[in-house]
Amino acid sequence: MKIDYLKIAYDKCVDSGSIKKANEVDSEKAKTLLENAELDIDSFKDATALFEKKNNFGLLWSNHYEIIRQLVAGILLFEKVISDNHKCLYAYICTKHQEWDVDWKTIETMRLLRNGVHYDGRPVSAETWKEYKLKFEIYTKTFIKILKEKLKNIQ
């Protein structure tokens, strides 16, 4: 699995037009993305232990990844930033928001492994899931906090 350097990835996203400016802040969509993410989190609280017992780490990985993707997309709506791909969303936040302590290699690995599950049918091992489970939780909590703060500021 090859991970581009952050600067190279970000520059490619800008050069290709994959990072776009929106005309306005879509706070309603951001609110809906937060609600969906929180519903998914609540739904998976009870199911996680079952999926772990059944060794269904690919489903766990994909769903936790999707929660993070929704939250990041919601946050960036407040910056009038949209992208046609996930890699560019993450390259943007890692470049423009270093204060959030999002590690490029970690989040890019999450994305690439999710793509492997979805597009190539590659499984996620128990060891990989255990290594990243806490990282998913930390990033999820971080992004929920940021998005809630942005929503609160528009009230």
Tab-separated table of all heavy atoms in Angstrom, residues 34 38 71 75 100 138-152:
chain	number	residue	atom	x	y	z
A	34	LEU	N	-24.039	15.248	10.581
A	34	LEU	CA	-23.763	14.977	11.995
A	34	LEU	C	-24.813	14.025	12.565
A	34	LEU	O	-24.465	13.054	13.253
A	34	LEU	CB	-23.739	16.278	12.799
A	34	LEU	CG	-23.607	16.119	14.318
A	34	LEU	CD1	-22.291	15.443	14.694
A	34	LEU	CD2	-23.750	17.472	15.017
A	38	GLU	N	-24.016	10.344	14.093
A	38	GLU	CA	-24.359	9.988	15.474
A	38	GLU	C	-25.307	8.793	15.528
A	38	GLU	O	-25.179	7.937	16.411
A	38	GLU	CB	-24.953	11.195	16.209
A	38	GLU	CG	-23.915	12.252	16.493
A	38	GLU	CD	-24.446	13.452	17.258
A	38	GLU	OE1	-25.586	13.890	17.003
A	38	GLU	OE2	-23.696	13.950	18.116
A	71	LEU	N	-18.453	13.178	8.853
A	71	LEU	CA	-18.123	14.277	9.758
A	71	LEU	C	-17.171	15.276	9.104
A	71	LEU	O	-17.360	16.496	9.214
A	71	LEU	CB	-17.526	13.727	11.060
A	71	LEU	CG	-18.494	12.903	11.915
A	71	LEU	CD1	-17.739	12.159	13.007
A	71	LEU	CD2	-19.586	13.792	12.508
A	75	ILE	N	-17.858	19.213	8.337
A	75	ILE	CA	-16.983	20.283	8.835
A	75	ILE	C	-16.571	21.205	7.690
A	75	ILE	O	-16.620	22.434	7.803
A	75	ILE	CB	-15.738	19.682	9.521
A	75	ILE	CG1	-16.124	19.007	10.836
A	75	ILE	CG2	-14.670	20.753	9.749
A	75	ILE	CD1	-15.047	18.090	11.403
A	100	TRP	N	-5.593	20.101	14.424
A	100	TRP	CA	-6.508	19.009	14.755
A	100	TRP	C	-5.770	17.703	15.025
A	100	TRP	O	-6.387	16.727	15.446
A	100	TRP	CB	-7.526	18.799	13.636
A	100	TRP	CG	-8.484	19.942	13.443
A	100	TRP	CD1	-8.679	21.019	14.270
A	100	TRP	CD2	-9.375	20.125	12.348
A	100	TRP	NE1	-9.632	21.849	13.750
A	100	TRP	CE2	-10.084	21.326	12.571
A	100	TRP	CE3	-9.636	19.389	11.201
A	100	TRP	CZ2	-11.045	21.809	11.686
A	100	TRP	CZ3	-10.590	19.856	10.322
A	100	TRP	CH2	-11.291	21.060	10.565
A	138	ILE	N	-10.944	7.990	18.385
A	138	ILE	CA	-10.382	9.320	18.657
A	138	ILE	C	-10.745	10.296	17.546
A	138	ILE	O	-11.196	11.414	17.802
A	138	ILE	CB	-8.859	9.229	18.856
A	138	ILE	CG1	-8.552	8.513	20.167
A	138	ILE	CG2	-8.213	10.622	18.823
A	138	ILE	CD1	-7.089	8.123	20.336
A	139	TYR	N	-10.575	9.880	16.296
A	139	TYR	CA	-10.899	10.769	15.180
A	139	TYR	C	-12.389	11.073	15.147
A	139	TYR	O	-12.794	12.205	14.890
A	139	TYR	CB	-10.432	10.173	13.856
A	139	TYR	CG	-8.941	10.301	13.617
A	139	TYR	CD1	-8.087	10.876	14.552
A	139	TYR	CD2	-8.377	9.843	12.452
A	139	TYR	CE1	-6.731	10.986	14.327
A	139	TYR	CE2	-7.004	9.953	12.208
A	139	TYR	CZ	-6.191	10.522	13.156
A	139	TYR	OH	-4.849	10.637	12.923
A	140	THR	N	-13.207	10.078	15.426
A	140	THR	CA	-14.648	10.303	15.438
A	140	THR	C	-15.014	11.339	16.497
A	140	THR	O	-15.751	12.295	16.214
A	140	THR	CB	-15.402	8.977	15.688
A	140	THR	OG1	-15.102	8.076	14.618
A	140	THR	CG2	-16.901	9.192	15.762
A	141	LYS	N	-14.511	11.180	17.700
A	141	LYS	CA	-14.811	12.142	18.774
A	141	LYS	C	-14.283	13.527	18.437
A	141	LYS	O	-14.950	14.533	18.689
A	141	LYS	CB	-14.224	11.653	20.099
A	141	LYS	CG	-14.989	10.488	20.677
A	141	LYS	CD	-14.361	9.977	21.953
A	141	LYS	CE	-15.117	8.757	22.456
A	141	LYS	NZ	-14.499	8.171	23.638
A	142	THR	N	-13.103	13.586	17.866
A	142	THR	CA	-12.517	14.873	17.483
A	142	THR	C	-13.393	15.584	16.460
A	142	THR	O	-13.719	16.769	16.615
A	142	THR	CB	-11.100	14.669	16.896
A	142	THR	OG1	-10.257	14.116	17.915
A	142	THR	CG2	-10.502	15.974	16.390
A	143	PHE	N	-13.792	14.867	15.425
A	143	PHE	CA	-14.580	15.488	14.359
A	143	PHE	C	-15.992	15.841	14.818
A	143	PHE	O	-16.551	16.846	14.373
A	143	PHE	CB	-14.599	14.602	13.118
A	143	PHE	CG	-13.249	14.451	12.469
A	143	PHE	CD1	-12.825	13.214	12.003
A	143	PHE	CD2	-12.386	15.528	12.324
A	143	PHE	CE1	-11.585	13.067	11.398
A	143	PHE	CE2	-11.143	15.389	11.726
A	143	PHE	CZ	-10.745	14.156	11.258
A	144	ILE	N	-16.576	15.047	15.696
A	144	ILE	CA	-17.887	15.397	16.249
A	144	ILE	C	-17.774	16.705	17.025
A	144	ILE	O	-18.611	17.603	16.869
A	144	ILE	CB	-18.444	14.271	17.151
A	144	ILE	CG1	-18.953	13.124	16.296
A	144	ILE	CG2	-19.577	14.796	18.049
A	144	ILE	CD1	-19.385	11.903	17.083
A	145	LYS	N	-16.764	16.821	17.838
A	145	LYS	CA	-16.570	18.043	18.629
A	145	LYS	C	-16.407	19.257	17.723
A	145	LYS	O	-17.035	20.302	17.945
A	145	LYS	CB	-15.337	17.875	19.528
A	145	LYS	CG	-15.058	19.063	20.398
A	145	LYS	CD	-13.834	18.824	21.260
A	145	LYS	CE	-13.512	20.076	22.052
A	145	LYS	NZ	-12.265	19.955	22.794
A	146	ILE	N	-15.595	19.139	16.689
A	146	ILE	CA	-15.365	20.257	15.767
A	146	ILE	C	-16.652	20.629	15.042
A	146	ILE	O	-17.010	21.816	14.952
A	146	ILE	CB	-14.254	19.898	14.755
A	146	ILE	CG1	-12.909	19.775	15.467
A	146	ILE	CG2	-14.179	20.943	13.636
A	146	ILE	CD1	-11.817	19.095	14.642
A	147	LEU	N	-17.376	19.640	14.540
A	147	LEU	CA	-18.602	19.919	13.800
A	147	LEU	C	-19.672	20.519	14.701
A	147	LEU	O	-20.354	21.477	14.320
A	147	LEU	CB	-19.106	18.646	13.104
A	147	LEU	CG	-20.348	18.805	12.204
A	147	LEU	CD1	-20.204	19.956	11.223
A	147	LEU	CD2	-20.633	17.492	11.492
A	148	LYS	N	-19.805	20.015	15.909
A	148	LYS	CA	-20.792	20.590	16.844
A	148	LYS	C	-20.452	22.042	17.167
A	148	LYS	O	-21.350	22.887	17.283
A	148	LYS	CB	-20.869	19.751	18.124
A	148	LYS	CG	-21.664	18.485	17.939
A	148	LYS	CD	-21.822	17.730	19.239
A	148	LYS	CE	-22.748	16.538	19.067
A	148	LYS	NZ	-22.953	15.817	20.339
A	149	GLU	N	-19.183	22.323	17.314
A	149	GLU	CA	-18.748	23.694	17.605
A	149	GLU	C	-19.096	24.616	16.428
A	149	GLU	O	-19.582	25.729	16.622
A	149	GLU	CB	-17.239	23.736	17.883
A	149	GLU	CG	-16.743	25.049	18.402
A	149	GLU	CD	-17.323	25.444	19.750
A	149	GLU	OE1	-17.589	24.574	20.592
A	149	GLU	OE2	-17.496	26.670	19.962
A	150	LYS	N	-18.869	24.152	15.230
A	150	LYS	CA	-19.185	24.960	14.044
A	150	LYS	C	-20.701	25.181	13.933
A	150	LYS	O	-21.142	26.274	13.604
A	150	LYS	CB	-18.629	24.316	12.781
A	150	LYS	CG	-17.102	24.405	12.718
A	150	LYS	CD	-16.560	23.903	11.426
A	150	LYS	CE	-15.062	24.028	11.352
A	150	LYS	NZ	-14.551	25.387	11.266
A	151	LEU	N	-21.482	24.141	14.233
A	151	LEU	CA	-22.934	24.286	14.199
A	151	LEU	C	-23.422	25.231	15.295
A	151	LEU	O	-24.343	26.022	15.073
A	151	LEU	CB	-23.615	22.918	14.323
A	151	LEU	CG	-23.589	22.063	13.065
A	151	LEU	CD1	-23.902	20.607	13.393
A	151	LEU	CD2	-24.563	22.608	12.026
A	152	LYS	N	-22.799	25.155	16.445
A	152	LYS	CA	-23.177	26.028	17.564
A	152	LYS	C	-22.916	27.499	17.221
A	152	LYS	O	-23.707	28.378	17.585
A	152	LYS	CB	-22.400	25.623	18.822
A	152	LYS	CG	-22.834	26.372	20.079
A	152	LYS	CD	-22.148	25.801	21.287
A	152	LYS	CE	-20.824	26.509	21.444
A	152	LYS	NZ	-20.114	26.140	22.684
